Amino acid sequence: VKNFFDLKSLFSDDLSAVNSVISNSLSSKEHLVQEVGSYLIQSGGKRIRPILTLLFSKICGYSGDKHILLASAVELIHVATLLHDDVIDESSTRRNKPTANFTWGNKASILVGDFLFSQSFKLMVKSESVAALQSLSNASSTIAEGEVMQLARLYQNRMISIDEYEEIAKAKTAALFSASTHVGAIIANQHFDIQEACKEFGAILGLIFQITDDMLDYFSDPSKSGKNLGDDLAQGSITAPVIIAYNKANSEDKKKIEDIFFGNDRGSKFEEIKSILVQYDTESLITNYVDAHYKKALTTIPSIPHSAELTPYLYQILDYARSRNG
Amino acid sequence: VKNFFDLKSLFSDDLSAVNSVISNSLSSKEHLVQEVGSYLIQSGGKRIRPILTLLFSKICGYSGDKHILLASAVELIHVATLLHDDVIDESSTRRNKPTANFTWGNKASILVGDFLFSQSFKLMVKSESVAALQSLSNASSTIAEGEVMQLARLYQNRMISIDEYEEIAKAKTAALFSASTHVGAIIANQHFDIQEACKEFGAILGLIFQITDDMLDYFSDPSKSGKNLGDDLAQGSITAPVIIAYNKANSEDKKKIEDIFFGNDRGSKFEEIKSILVQYDTESLITNYVDAHYKKALTTIPSIPHSAELTPYLYQILDYARSRNG
């Protein structure tokens, strides 16, 4: 059985090329830039976005070398976003390691984030594909808009609907997944409908990815997932598991959820919230919710060029996204 | 006698077009984005960078409409930079108004800055000029690098040389001035040597602009300049006036300068530093220092296309930059 992680070995040459483009992008006379940048890049991550660009350019029949530049650009946008996110969320650890803002301070994180973001644009420009630039620059501004949306909801101190949640998740997460698959089809000069199918696959995958991410914040083993439990609660960020349990809850439990989220010591109420989530069987509810998106993603696959070697991975990636534990 | 500000009326139609492109770029479903963005754009500024793009595209004979997109992009990069700068510098006022970070918080400033930055890229992409994109994406990453450089120097707690100062000023300020003039020549399809002359003129102008900015932080009338006196001292940022006075100072005064800048209550020592600057006649020293750059800028003008109507403004802009009081 093929596994998502097999893609890493399948694309190992391309991924080394991506890694070296990224290292070159981090090189700077200024030691602090290199230090922060390298720390982030080396602290790993799954490289799922650049792998998507490599996979979709190959499945769409692309044979040049722009995919390396664009896959690198996509990862740099992602890393730049993480740097700013950790400042916004006041996070002190990510993947069991201290965050850059914790180590070098918020100012360095903001500025190095800006630098990485600019470097990603330089790589896109180097690809000389105006359509790819369009897709990725749209994604970048959608991401920023999604982050502002999320912040604005926090300031509003109110329960949000699942539609509002999806709007944020689509903007802050799915947009970049979507651009990652889209640019693969773009540089391969695929027909518009095929480009759209690739884009849609990426968008749904990204949404599923965000939903499972938000589940892992309540239901995961931190030693395996590398995540802190309860970060979203501590930040007051209302995510799918909470909304879905809230919608099922009786009025007493609804009030409990509100009191906790809009009260002053959310941070200490993790077990309380979690027991409500368990009580309403949120894990099954989320599984059903994700399944609906999963099925929608499957419908895009017939419109994506078929490859005996690569098409099976499309299913594997979706399976990975919905059942991952870290 | 023509004056720099006459350019605003000369280009009033183009500038209205720029303003409406910028307003469109700020439009967002998310109210907070529009609120912060509009506040910043409306709080004014001299629009010197977009005016440079308009002037240089016209002087280079350009007659299409990409100059509007690029002038708008340049201003958005500038505004995005201001948003992040004010967070980094912990500023509470700019141009006699509360800063965005003071009003909406650092988080909103970081994210709306990211949004404006992405929007600026969308405008550049819309221009479809890969060479202009190259110039502006290079400028963006140079700006970020310059900001990190400045931060890294602060962390080092040591006196810096005038060369180090210039390196920072060239990166954080001159790079965008330089790209603003450069893209004008690029879209006009001017010969490489002419492009380089335009770029160089912008670079030196930007450096002069930064030096006078740093002078105004010690020697200006805040009610006219809209600046706070002593911001650089409060942040521990060592700028041209201090370096130039330091280089002339006797060892006792050198020690005084060091003690103040690397001590704990810099903020209260403005008058003390200023009296040392006055004692060494820093205003004349800076005038000579700026004059050297001014003369270098003059040598680029013969290589820029001549226009009976517009060439005089090149001199006026330089005069404005070196003698401005706000």
Side-chain angles (χ1 to χ4, degrees), chain A residues 52 56 173-182 196-208 300 304:
Chain A
L52 288 173
F56 276 75
T173 307
L176 190 56
F177 275 79
S178 172
S180 304
T181 54
H182 191 208
E196 289 300 298
C198 293
K199 196 175 159 184
E200 178 71 0
F201 179 93
I204 305 174
L205 178 69
L207 180 58
I208 296 175
T300 67
I304 296 169

Side-chain angles (χ1 to χ4, degrees), chain B residues 144-210:
Chain B
E145 221 173 352
E147 301 273 359
V148 182
M149 241 182 255
Q150 178 169 277
L151 183 68
R153 292 303 155 275
L154 274 183
Y155 288 169
Q156 288 167 357
N157 255 342
R158 62 171 178 83
M159 186 51 56
I160 61 169
S161 69
I162 198 74
D163 287 347
E164 288 177 293
Y165 164 81
E166 277 197 17
E167 192 184 14
I168 294 171
K170 282 177 182 166
K172 74 169 191 171
T173 307
L176 190 56
F177 275 77
S178 172
S180 303
T181 54
H182 191 209
V183 295
I186 287 173
I187 54 175
N189 279 317
Q190 284 289 353
H191 189 278
F192 178 78
D193 293 345
I194 293 178
Q195 287 189 17
E196 289 299 299
C198 294
K199 193 174 162 187
E200 178 72 359
F201 179 93
I204 304 174
L205 178 68
L207 180 58
I208 295 175
F209 204 84
Q210 184 60 55

Side-chain angles (χ1 to χ4, degrees), chain B residues 10-263:
Chain B
L10 188 66
F11 289 116
S12 64
D13 289 352
D14 280 355
L15 278 171
S16 321
V18 166
N19 283 335
S20 79
V21 169
I22 289 176
S23 306
N24 285 337
S25 293
L26 295 179
S27 76
S28 164
K29 280 172 298 194
E30 194 50 50
H31 188 63
L32 186 60
V33 169
Q34 279 200 284
E35 212 173 309
V36 178
S38 312
Y39 178 80
L40 260 155
I41 301 288
Q42 279 154 21
S43 56
K46 291 169 284 281
R47 297 275 199 272
I48 185 164
R49 294 160 193 81
I51 289 175
L52 287 173
T53 301
L54 300 174
L55 173 63
F56 275 75
S57 56
K58 191 155 188 205
I59 216 170
C60 289
Y62 179 71
S63 61
D65 50 17
K66 294 182 181 179
H67 62 315
I68 302 293
L69 291 170
L70 293 174
S72 309
V74 157
E75 184 69 1
L76 283 179
I77 294 179
H78 171 58
V79 174
T81 309
L82 290 186
L83 271 169
H84 287 187
D85 269 4
D86 285 339
V87 173
I88 303 294
D89 298 344
E90 300 164 19
S91 310
S92 58
T93 65
R94 177 180 289 275
R95 298 184 198 118
N96 295 328
K97 290 180 73 176
T99 52
N101 53 312
F102 186 80
T103 309
W104 289 278
N106 284 342
K107 296 178 182 187
S109 287
I110 296 171
L111 296 175
V112 176
D114 289 348
F115 177 72
L116 296 184
F117 195 53
S118 305
Q119 291 299 85
S120 86
F121 271 96
K122 280 169 72 172
L123 295 177
M124 293 176 219
V125 173
K126 226 172 167 180
S127 83
E128 297 191 337
S129 164
V130 172
L133 269 157
Q134 225 155 31
S135 178
L136 284 164
S137 61
N138 279 335
S140 298
S141 71
T142 303
I143 293 169
E145 221 173 352
E147 301 273 359
V148 182
M149 241 182 255
Q150 178 169 277
L151 183 68
R153 292 303 155 275
L154 274 183
Y155 288 169
Q156 288 167 357
N157 255 342
R158 62 171 178 83
M159 186 51 56
I160 61 169
S161 69
I162 198 74
D163 287 347
E164 288 177 293
Y165 164 81
E166 277 197 17
E167 192 184 14
I168 294 171
K170 282 177 182 166
K172 74 169 191 171
T173 307
L176 190 56
F177 275 77
S178 172
S180 303
T181 54
H182 191 209
V183 295
I186 287 173
I187 54 175
N189 279 317
Q190 284 289 353
H191 189 278
F192 178 78
D193 293 345
I194 293 178
Q195 287 189 17
E196 289 299 299
C198 294
K199 193 174 162 187
E200 178 72 359
F201 179 93
I204 304 174
L205 178 68
L207 180 58
I208 295 175
F209 204 84
Q210 184 60 55
I211 298 168
T212 53
D213 205 65
D214 294 335
M215 269 306 279
L216 291 170
D217 197 64
Y218 289 96
F219 299 90
S220 77
D221 175 349
S223 71
K224 286 182 192 156
S225 68
K227 291 180 192 301
N228 308 316
L229 287 176
D231 274 356
D232 290 334
L233 173 63
Q235 290 152 25
S237 184
I238 298 171
T239 55
V242 174
I243 298 167
I244 278 181
Y246 180 89
N247 288 344
K248 260 219 141 177
N250 62 32
S251 55
E252 196 185 327
D253 287 330
K254 276 192 162 78
K255 189 165 177 331
K256 261 192 206 161
I257 294 175
E258 288 168 1
D259 286 348
I260 291 174
F261 264 88
F262 310 128

